[in-house]
Amino acid sequence: MKFLLLIAFIHFLPQCTGKPLSLDEHQHCHQQTFKEIKREIAGYSDIAKAIINLAVYGNAQNRSYERLARFVDTIGPRLSGSKNLEMAIKYMFSVLQEDRLENVHLEPVKVPHWERGEESAMMLAPRNHSIVILGLGSSVATPPEGITAEVLVVTSFDELHKRAQDAKGKIVVYNQPFISYEETVKYRLLGAVEAGKVGAVASLIRSVASFSINSPHTGWQQYQSDVPKIPTACISMEDAEMMARMSSRGTRIVVTLKMEAKTYPDTGSFNTVAEIVGSKYPEQVVLVSGHLDSWDVGQGAMDDGGGAFISWEALSLIKDLGLRPKRTLRLVLWTAEEQGGVGAEQYYQLHKGNISNFDIVMESDSGTFMPMGLAFTGSDKARAILKEIMQLLQPINVTNIYENGGETDTEYWVRDGVPGASLRDDISKYFWFHHTQGDTMTVQDPNQMNLCAAVWTVVSYVIADMEEMLPSCTVMDRAGIHDIYVYCL
């Protein structure tokens, strides 16, 4: 009967996945009433205004922008495994110490090491035309003399497999329409695999972008062990559409592709960490983050220099105001995010034993343009609390809460029930520059970075200083009862 009552009780609770929580913890996970929490949050109004004034109008105005400009102008792009990334990590380790942050240290990780080398593509028929390419991460090389073959243009994987016999021995060109990054990126990730399955000798993928000025976009791609590995690169929207028009007229297209890409053994790198240690609950952590690595084109200023530097700025602003939250505010600058959150996954494995002490994990990795609010993943109770915290940002009119707060580096924690948040800003031009030579400081705006820093700082400080942690999304797995999920409400 007790078992049936337990099942009945769980059945009527909201459901989600999350981290383990004992029954005793579940009984005591919420002590304050929501009215008390609202009153507590309202009490941070003056501190929020002080943060906003310092970041947007005061002595810290434009600081995150100027720090970022100095960094990217000095270091340049920072590909996983590269000397530039090693220089970037050493640079950040030094400046975080100079900023008098606490517990500045490096945590070793192993990361992929791929280099593109020299690369080119030339259309030989129906006319000579130099095709601008960017090889995709982890691509294999062509033979030294290159690959010369006819082109088959397709608009989807379905069309490719319907024309499988035509694809053998060809260079497959994907001219897929851009729907959204989440939907269209599968062509970049799996284009070489799908072309390899039907006997193609190489693949060229229309860049995953909403706009182009003859600018190819690079990114990571994935091979499968049971499929032949063929060279693969991205081309511009303009060249993809031109070849599609030629193909639709029945014109024979021939291309020579040359790529020197090489994959080396995994190499050593680091996640970079700094803190403001909590005054009352130092073992509990509010994590703010961005990733330090980038692709090997442009300067990596937007992706993700801006996110990394407003995360540093959050700690600087709090320190400058003489504030010390109850919980530890921890800055993590991830490495090898572009290869699939490699550094973050190793950080998670190292620290997941203390998962109950992680209050929220925050990452900014979608630009630092005009902020619109905060994206959040977590329990309904935690979301309600975040809505109240966002009201503190009324002076700069950034109060909205959106869905899907996990990012690549924080998703490991969010899957285990830790609340996750990401900055939501105006990304209408983000995919113009994403993974291109155009990702430079010219994309960044100091006033917008000031506002982003203010949002990031107010949210992280208030969460770190509140008396209670945010309610986590939790899983009960006791006495052989599996897959029973509850919110801590």
Side-chain angles (χ1 to χ4, degrees), residues 3 8 43 62 84 114 130 133 168 206 237 241 258 268 288 300 313 343 382 385 412 471 483:
F3 178 81
N62 300 347
N84 275 22
W114 174 86
S130 180
I133 67 169
K168 290 182 179 179
R206 170 177 166 158
M237 293 168 59
E241 290 182 350
K258 292 183 179 180
V288 293
E313 184 69 9
I385 293 171
Y412 304 99
D483 299 323

Side-chain angles (χ1 to χ4, degrees), residues 398-411:
V398 185
T399 59
N400 293 328
I401 289 278
Y402 301 88
E403 300 292 330
N404 302 322
E407 293 278 10
T408 298
D409 294 309
T410 56
E411 193 62 32

Side-chain angles (χ1 to χ4, degrees), residues 462-480:
V462 172
I463 294 173
D465 196 60
M466 291 177 64
E467 185 58 34
E468 292 185 358
M469 293 176 68
L470 293 175
S472 297
C473 192
T474 62
V475 60
M476 290 171 57
D477 184 3
R478 282 206 160 341

Side-chain angles (χ1 to χ4, degrees), residues 218-412:
T218 189
W220 197 247
Q221 66 91 36
Q222 300 171 347
Y223 288 123
Q224 292 179 6
S225 59
D226 58 344
V227 178
K229 295 180 179 180
I230 61 174
T232 183
C234 268
I235 60 176
S236 69
M237 293 168 59
E238 292 88 340
D239 281 338
E241 290 182 350
M242 179 183 68
M243 286 189 276
R245 291 192 301 272
M246 289 175 170
S247 179
S248 70
R249 301 182 194 119
T251 302
R252 179 174 175 266
I253 306 169
V254 178
V255 167
T256 292
L257 176 67
K258 292 183 179 180
M259 296 174 62
E260 293 181 350
K262 187 172 182 180
T263 297
Y264 297 90
D266 286 357
T267 188
S269 187
F270 301 92
N271 293 317
T272 307
V273 183
E275 294 180 338
I276 294 176
V277 177
S279 61
K280 186 173 182 180
Y281 310 113
E283 74 286 355
Q284 297 174 6
V285 174
V286 168
L287 187 149
V288 293
S289 66
H291 65 86
L292 203 58
D293 67 295
S294 73
W295 281 101
D296 56 339
V297 290
Q299 292 182 303
M302 180 191 76
D303 184 18
D304 181 35
F309 274 64
I310 66 163
S311 295
W312 172 18
E313 184 69 9
L315 273 67
S316 289
L317 291 168
I318 290 167
K319 176 182 61 66
D320 289 350
L321 288 168
L323 301 172
R324 185 175 291 276
K326 295 182 180 71
R327 287 173 199 84
T328 294
L329 192 61
R330 179 177 298 167
L331 166 69
V332 182
L333 303 177
W334 312 107
T335 196
E337 185 275 345
E338 296 293 359
Q339 288 68 36
V342 176
E345 194 274 337
Q346 292 173 63
Y347 180 91
Y348 167 77
Q349 294 297 336
L350 182 64
H351 295 279
K352 66 180 181 179
N354 297 320
I355 194 168
S356 61
N357 283 327
F358 281 76
D359 195 350
I360 190 171
V361 289
M362 301 168 58
E363 180 174 21
S364 173
D365 187 21
S366 297
T368 45
F369 299 106
M370 184 61 69
M372 300 162 59
L374 200 74
F376 180 76
T377 298
S379 69
D380 290 344
K381 179 66 175 179
R383 176 176 291 273
I385 293 171
L386 260 294
K387 285 183 178 179
E388 293 300 317
I389 293 173
M390 293 304 291
Q391 296 308 304
L392 298 171
L393 291 160
Q394 285 183 351
I396 54 174
N397 195 31
V398 185
T399 59
N400 293 328
I401 289 278
Y402 301 88
E403 300 292 330
N404 302 322
E407 293 278 10
T408 298
D409 294 309
T410 56
E411 193 62 32
Y412 304 99

Side-chain angles (χ1 to χ4, degrees), residues 391-453:
Q391 296 308 304
L392 298 171
L393 291 160
Q394 285 183 351
I396 54 174
N397 195 31
V398 185
T399 59
N400 293 328
I401 289 278
Y402 301 88
E403 300 292 330
N404 302 322
E407 293 278 10
T408 298
D409 294 309
T410 56
E411 193 62 32
Y412 304 99
W413 302 92
V414 174
R415 289 173 188 166
D416 277 359
V418 177
S422 57
L423 182 69
R424 179 64 65 88
D425 59 338
D426 176 9
I427 63 168
S428 57
K429 296 181 180 179
Y430 182 81
F431 292 108
W432 295 15
F433 309 104
H434 182 250
H435 296 183
T436 73
Q437 294 286 7
D439 182 358
T440 69
M441 278 306 296
T442 303
V443 175
Q444 299 297 122
D445 180 278
N447 296 319
Q448 293 176 356
M449 285 191 71
N450 293 339
L451 293 167
C452 291

